[in-house]
Amino acid sequence: MKLAGKAWKFGADIDTDAIIPARYLNTSDPKELAQHCMEDADPEFAQKVSPGDVIVADKNFGCGSSREHAPIALKAAGVSCIIAASFARIFYRNAFNMGLPILESEEAAADVVTGEQLEIDLATGIIVNKSRNLTYKAQPVPPFMQELVAGGGLIPYVMKRLRD
Amino acid sequence: MGMTITEKILAAHAGLDRVEPGELIEVSVDFSLANDITAPIAIERFRQAGAEKLYDVSRIALVPDHFVPNKDIESAAQCQLLREFAVEHELPHYYEVGRMGIEHALLPEQGLVLPGDVVVGADSHTCTYGGLGAFATGVGSTDLAAVMITGRTWFRVPASIKFIFQGNLRPWVTGKDLILYTIGQIGVDGARYRAMEFTGPVIDQLSMDQRLTMANMAIEAGAKNGIIAPDECTRTFVEERAQRSYQFYQSDPDAQYEQVITYNVSEIEPQVALPPSPANSQPVSSLDEIPIDQVVIGSCTNGRIEDLRLAAQLLKSRKVAPRVRCLIIPATQAIYRQAMDEGLFTIFLEAEAAISTPTCGPCLGGYMGILAAGERAVATTNRNFVGRMGHPESEVYLASPAVAAASAVLGRIASPEDLD
């Protein structure tokens, strides 16, 4: 499974309140949540982001609350993948459960800057920085998790498995 | 080779003799929970998956606590969804306004979560129950939906970090100060994916309320769970409340730890975590004069009776500074009544503090004490991220109820020792 998009770079310890502030949690509607995605880290992010774009961040992305609204908001805003030096554990689980692929790469996190074009191959974990012709390595996403991403998350994946 | 308490609880729930850190296991879940923010998504997933029945209706609590009493029409709709689901499935542990409390104060108080349990909750502060000697951790709504259907979930067994607290607590130093200090030392990802096991003579002497406070904030260091081995203090707390049988687990003397960290608490002062990170903890005496606009005493971290007593001890015969709002939020209805019966409300009211019905409200910037741009609060809550209590340009300083109460009186961040 291959993805391509423009990078948006963020720092370390981006918490779930920055990804989707609790003041908007009186709904779980993806479209509404998407309008406020990353608002407290970059108030214009929701306007600037294009479908397929990639967030690249330093360590501990998604720390804080267990709100699934965070990966829901990112996905609905068009973010196709998140690359970070590391992820907080609840966010990691939630992201795959929502069908939002995430990759750990310290190399990419340290090097990529906002605006660069990235190509990502989930199967190999290879991230290509097209803007500077560089390659970074991440752990590949195993086949069943690629299938989970392709299917749109854990529940559709489980339902498909039950049907098959 | 021995096992840690966390490994023993997980092994027992996986039906295995032993487990090793890094191993992927499937475990049975003793109790699960969700609130008015996370349950609506879990219920949607439950229905989406085509489920009709919960695995065991007696083993889940739905607690509307974040935005209740309903703060707006949308929140009312979310709570309505929980209520209807609870009625439809005849859930015995649905807690309505007037009978509820903040989930992580309520469930231990009601004897629904117990030593030796595996508890998963769609709320990151589910780790609170580690104070009882349970394995408890937060998950997302989808994972919770799967637990509602099957009663099981998967985990990677975490490696454990052992913290040994030695020495003598200085005046006004509480469990909150110890956990803020610890997070300050190891950082917000210092225990990422790990179990934090709190041990030592200081922990042995801590009350249950303070143990719950410490375990509550394990997530703020990125931990999967925080845990304190059960003892006589635990037994006294649970035996009058337990609604099921429970089991005490202890770490073996030869258990393997990824790291062992010892702190001498004699050197630890009351702590304040500066925005925007719970790891920015500093001794209160090291801070310059920082004027404040609001104080919040409450939350799943510090809204229990002992916290309110501590605040009352300092607010007694004093007044909240003229331009400061002091909000006191007992965490459950039972704590509210007890505080009233003990005369604490009279002290709070004479100090000109406001007392609220139980709610998470301001802790996550929901309502009931939102900050304007440029405003600053001292709060006994657990997070001080950007915009956590309101405007992105407002600030939250985390502290114990003692520091919060002293700050309310002096109108600036203050140590209880600064009061005359």
Side-chain angles (χ1 to χ4, degrees):
Chain A
M1 191 174 178
K2 292 188 178 172
L3 307 163
K6 189 163 79 240
W8 296 94
K9 182 73 199 326
F10 289 90
D13 304 321
I14 295 293
D15 59 75
T16 51
D17 282 84
I19 298 168
I20 182 72
R23 56 185 177 275
Y24 304 117
L25 298 186
N26 54 7
T27 176
S28 52
D29 177 37
K31 283 198 203 74
E32 281 190 43
L33 296 171
Q35 289 170 20
H36 303 289
C37 181
M38 302 301 282
E39 186 169 295
D40 286 359
D42 176 356
E44 277 107 51
F45 181 79
Q47 279 75 53
K48 295 187 297 193
V49 69
S50 306
D53 284 359
V54 177
I55 284 182
V56 181
D58 295 329
K59 71 173 178 73
N60 204 27
F61 186 90
C63 62
S65 109
S66 69
R67 63 189 70 157
E68 217 159 85
H69 310 66
I72 291 173
L74 288 162
K75 207 178 156 189
V79 173
S80 69
C81 179
I82 300 168
I83 301 167
S86 62
F87 291 90
R89 66 160 282 274
I90 305 177
F91 182 85
Y92 191 93
R93 253 176 115 125
N94 285 350
F96 276 105
N97 282 349
M98 291 303 96
L100 175 66
I102 61 184
L103 289 173
E104 283 188 343
S105 170
E106 287 188 20
E107 268 184 293
D111 196 49
V112 173
V113 295
T114 294
E116 292 183 326
Q117 284 294 326
L118 302 180
E119 270 184 19
I120 300 152
D121 186 345
L122 295 180
T124 59
I126 302 280
I127 302 158
V128 179
N129 184 335
K130 300 289 280 181
S131 303
R132 278 188 283 145
N133 231 350
L134 293 167
T135 299
Y136 319 104
K137 189 87 187 76
Q139 278 289 336
V141 176
F144 82 94
M145 281 173 99
Q146 288 180 58
E147 211 182 307
L148 192 153
V149 166
L154 182 65
I155 298 285
Y157 172 74
V158 168
M159 288 169 68
K160 181 170 179 296
R161 294 249 317 233
L162 288 175
R163 274 199 310 272
D164 299 349
Chain B
M1 197 190 300
M3 286 195 287
T4 67
I5 177 171
T6 295
E7 289 157 7
K8 284 186 184 178
I9 296 172
L10 290 175
H13 286 76
L16 298 169
D17 291 336
R18 59 175 300 117
V19 294
E20 306 276 350
E23 196 175 335
L24 287 171
I25 54 166
E26 197 189 38
V27 297
S28 58
V29 174
D30 295 297
F31 207 79
S32 64
L33 65 140
N35 57 53
D36 50 318
I37 305 283
T38 59
I41 300 180
I43 292 169
E44 189 187 324
R45 304 278 183 261
F46 178 90
R47 290 181 174 148
Q48 198 183 347
E52 284 166 6
K53 270 182 26 195
L54 284 87
Y55 80 101
D56 183 346
V57 292
S58 71
R59 294 198 179 235
I60 183 167
L62 293 186
V63 189
D65 59 358
H66 278 56
F67 294 164
V68 301
N70 302 336
K71 82 177 176 98
D72 54 24
I73 296 167
E74 289 81 2
S75 306
Q78 297 199 130
C79 292
Q80 189 176 42
L81 206 150
L82 261 68
R83 190 177 300 116
E84 288 171 359
F85 186 83
V87 170
E88 179 190 340
H89 293 276
E90 299 178 13
L91 300 186
H93 305 303
Y94 167 75
Y95 292 93
E96 192 54 88
V97 169
R99 288 142 235 169
M100 52 73 77
I102 297 175
E103 50 195 346
H104 309 310
L106 183 72
L107 268 50
E109 172 193 288
Q110 298 293 317
L112 292 172
V113 289
L114 295 165
D117 278 358
V118 166
V119 183
V120 297
D123 188 279
S124 60
H125 292 108
T126 300
C127 55
T128 307
Y129 318 131
L132 295 164
F135 174 88
T137 195
V139 296
S141 299
T142 297
D143 275 325
L144 188 85
V147 172
M148 287 161 69
I149 299 166
T150 65
R152 301 180 75 77
T153 195
W154 65 269
F155 287 120
R156 189 164 79 180
V157 178
S160 292
I161 305 176
K162 182 180 188 174
F163 295 86
I164 307 170
F165 293 87
Q166 292 178 333
N168 297 304
L169 286 176
R170 290 160 68 154
W172 307 110
V173 173
T174 64
K176 180 63 167 288
D177 303 289
L178 299 182
I179 190 65
L180 287 177
Y181 177 84
T182 304
I183 299 163
Q185 294 296 306
I186 67 170
V188 288
D189 64 346
R192 204 173 58 94
Y193 277 85
R194 305 293 185 272
M196 296 174 85
E197 187 174 327
F198 304 116
T199 73
V202 177
I203 303 299
D204 295 343
Q205 297 302 311
L206 279 190
S207 66
M208 186 49 67
D209 282 5
Q210 296 196 50
R211 293 177 185 195
L212 293 166
T213 299
M214 288 193 71
N216 172 272
M217 288 191 72
I219 179 68
E220 263 48 81
K224 179 173 267 180
N225 67 311
I227 197 159
I228 295 173
D231 58 8
E232 278 315 301
C233 166
T234 317
R235 194 178 305 282
T236 308
F237 182 86
V238 295
E239 69 187 355
E240 61 183 28
R241 311 163 190 270
Q243 300 197 17
R244 293 180 276 118
S245 63
Y246 52 89
Q247 195 170 346
F248 280 18
Y249 291 92
Q250 308 286 336
S251 292
D252 292 323
D254 59 345
Q256 292 292 299
Y257 293 93
E258 187 179 71
Q259 226 184 326
V260 178
I261 299 173
T262 305
Y263 296 132
N264 179 1
V265 304
S266 314
E267 291 164 7
I268 299 175
E269 264 191 59
Q271 301 284 305
V272 176
L274 278 53
S277 168
N280 288 342
S281 54
Q282 304 283 337
V284 62
S285 69
S286 72
L287 301 177
D288 294 333
E289 181 151 332
I290 303 172
I292 57 167
D293 304 284
Q294 178 165 296
V295 167
V296 174
I297 298 173
S299 81
C300 60
T301 313
N302 279 123
R304 298 182 185 82
I305 191 66
E306 200 177 307
D307 301 315
L308 303 184
R309 286 183 192 138
L310 186 56
Q313 189 184 339
L314 289 159
L315 290 171
K316 190 172 166 76
S317 308
R318 294 190 172 103
K319 294 252 186 259
V320 172
R323 278 199 291 278
V324 172
R325 296 101 61 180
C326 179
L327 313 178
I328 297 177
I329 312 176
T332 68
Q333 291 291 128
I335 295 167
Y336 191 101
R337 172 178 286 244
Q338 192 175 350
M340 191 171 69
D341 290 349
E342 291 182 12
L344 307 187
F345 281 9
T346 306
I347 295 170
F348 296 149
L349 293 170
E350 284 176 358
E352 297 174 351
I355 305 164
S356 160
T357 192
T359 180
C360 304
C363 172
L364 75 164
Y367 76 131
M368 197 70 93
I370 300 303
L371 301 173
E375 287 195 321
R376 199 176 277 142
V378 174
T380 67
T381 56
N382 41 57
R383 290 188 178 134
N384 54 358
F385 301 151
V386 170
R388 178 72 181 180
M389 201 175 277
H391 195 281
E393 284 158 36
S394 63
E395 291 183 337
V396 178
Y397 292 70
L398 303 176
S400 72
V403 169
S407 303
V409 171
L410 294 171
R412 61 175 171 86
I413 296 180
S415 165
E417 294 189 345
D418 298 344
L419 294 170
D420 35 72

